[in-house]
Amino acid sequence: MIMDCAVYRHGHRTEGPEDLSDALAEARAAGGFVWIGLYEPSEREFDLVTDEFGLHPLAVEDALKAHQRPKLEVYDDSLFMVLKPVVYEPDSDTVSAGEVMVFVGDSFVVTVRHGEGSPLAAVRRRLEEEPEMLDKGPTAVLYAIADATVDHYLEVATELQTDLDELEAQVFQPETGTSRNTASRIYTFKRQVLEFRRATGPLTVPLTRLAGTGPLGGTVPFVHDEARPFFRDVGDHLTRVNESVEGLDRLVSDILSAHLAQMSVRQNDDMRKISAWAAMAAVPTMIAGIYGMNFDHMPELHWVASYPAVILLMAVLEVLLYRLFKRRGWL
């Protein structure tokens, strides 16, 4: 469905005609642009926008089906960019990603949103409060969306770092570090980091192209050269985010290794204790087995003190074995 549609002239919003063709013609005549916001449109709803703005069918297919990686594609009449805003749920400590597709042309911007957590409403309000920036045209809208998305990445990275610190403290606590739920929490957290990484990692190449830096940099149609420093700034913020994600991924892998090592040590300790107690139980069992073989010619059988002597021998051997295992840390 169409969430919002407006024509912007000299950085100020004016309600355009309901007909999209008339709105685009009016924007071009006034030297402005039209900005249309869509939320999970159906194919029938999107056909009207496609016909009026001449959007490329491949980009339209991606916008309708969603589940795309962040990317930037250049067509004859428009620029198509995919971003994945990320939402952090503090109640469940989970990360979920939505999608924002942005079509940029000479006098229009079409944004398509899938899922939750999109910054588009806030971006539109902020831009409408800054007419000087909005006067830069569709490029300003593309920059503002990218900037808001990446800035929110920084906030999510901070929240994940806090969760990881708590998880690390739990792993190294003697009481809870070897619980059954710890490994599950570590694995779940690693999945959240992977989900976050899928949103941030592929975005580096599109921002590099928009900033005109690196081997992939160059002139991108429908983007003013004056906007390159701004996209470069967004790229710098994204670099910080990717470094944080790399650090989170490495650290959670180290925590998982430490947890598995703790479990292994704990199992070894348990096995040593079991072995020690088994050895202590074997000595009296062996002695009792010898005297239970019912042979006639066993001199000790007719000795009056044989029973207390054997019991005393068992007790002495048990005490000696206990002290030996205790000294070596097996008990």
Side-chain angles (χ1 to χ4, degrees), residues 193-265:
V193 174
L194 178 61
E195 182 72 18
F196 191 27
R197 193 174 191 173
R198 288 173 179 169
T200 64
L203 188 57
T204 301
V205 174
L207 287 179
T208 300
R209 294 181 62 188
L210 291 171
T213 59
L216 298 177
T219 302
V220 179
F222 311 107
V223 176
H224 297 301
D225 292 339
E226 297 177 356
R228 288 186 178 184
F230 295 94
F231 285 110
R232 191 156 52 243
D233 180 68
V234 177
D236 292 340
H237 291 175
L238 182 63
T239 300
R240 289 173 51 194
V241 172
N242 285 329
E243 289 175 352
S244 298
V245 174
E246 290 290 340
L248 289 171
D249 188 57
R250 288 195 300 267
L251 189 54
V252 73
S253 297
D254 293 341
I255 290 175
L256 180 59
S257 299
H259 173 67
L260 295 178
Q262 282 184 322
M263 294 295 293
S264 178
V265 171

Side-chain angles (χ1 to χ4, degrees), residues 27-226:
R28 286 173 173 168
F33 68 95
V34 58
W35 181 359
I36 299 175
L38 303 171
Y39 176 69
E40 296 184 357
S42 64
E43 184 175 355
R44 184 176 180 180
E45 293 172 337
F46 206 57
D47 283 342
L48 178 61
V49 178
T50 302
D51 295 338
E52 295 296 341
F53 294 97
L55 305 180
H56 197 280
L58 292 178
V60 171
E61 181 181 358
D62 291 342
L64 289 173
K65 292 184 177 180
H67 304 292
Q68 303 295 317
R69 286 167 53 91
K71 61 181 179 179
L72 177 68
E73 296 180 352
V74 178
Y75 298 101
D76 294 335
D77 299 325
S78 62
L79 184 71
F80 178 64
M81 187 171 183
V82 179
L83 302 101
K84 295 181 75 69
V86 170
V87 177
Y88 175 80
E89 299 292 344
D91 296 334
S92 57
D93 294 336
T94 57
V95 172
S96 59
E99 289 186 48
V100 172
M101 287 81 167
V102 185
F103 294 87
V104 176
D106 58 343
S107 300
F108 67 87
V109 177
V110 178
T111 54
V112 182
R113 177 165 64 94
H114 291 270
E116 301 300 328
S118 171
L120 295 182
V123 168
R124 190 186 286 263
R125 287 194 301 268
R126 181 167 63 86
L127 284 175
E128 290 177 354
E129 294 174 357
E130 301 178 8
E132 293 182 357
M133 183 176 181
L134 195 57
D135 191 34
K136 303 298 182 181
T139 302
V141 177
L142 181 61
Y143 158 73
I145 295 174
D147 184 56
T149 301
V150 174
D151 283 348
H152 192 61
Y153 287 164
L154 291 170
E155 298 175 6
V156 174
T158 301
E159 295 289 346
L160 288 177
Q161 183 63 55
T162 301
D163 288 347
L164 184 60
D165 292 340
E166 296 176 357
L167 183 60
E168 184 178 16
Q170 178 184 356
V171 167
F172 289 102
Q173 284 181 356
E175 297 82 5
T176 60
T178 55
S179 65
R180 296 180 179 180
N181 294 330
T182 302
S184 176
R185 284 198 61 192
I186 295 174
Y187 179 75
T188 301
F189 185 86
K190 194 171 182 64
R191 289 292 303 268
Q192 306 309 314
V193 174
L194 178 61
E195 182 72 18
F196 191 27
R197 193 174 191 173
R198 288 173 179 169
T200 64
L203 188 57
T204 301
V205 174
L207 287 179
T208 300
R209 294 181 62 188
L210 291 171
T213 59
L216 298 177
T219 302
V220 179
F222 311 107
V223 176
H224 297 301
D225 292 339
E226 297 177 356

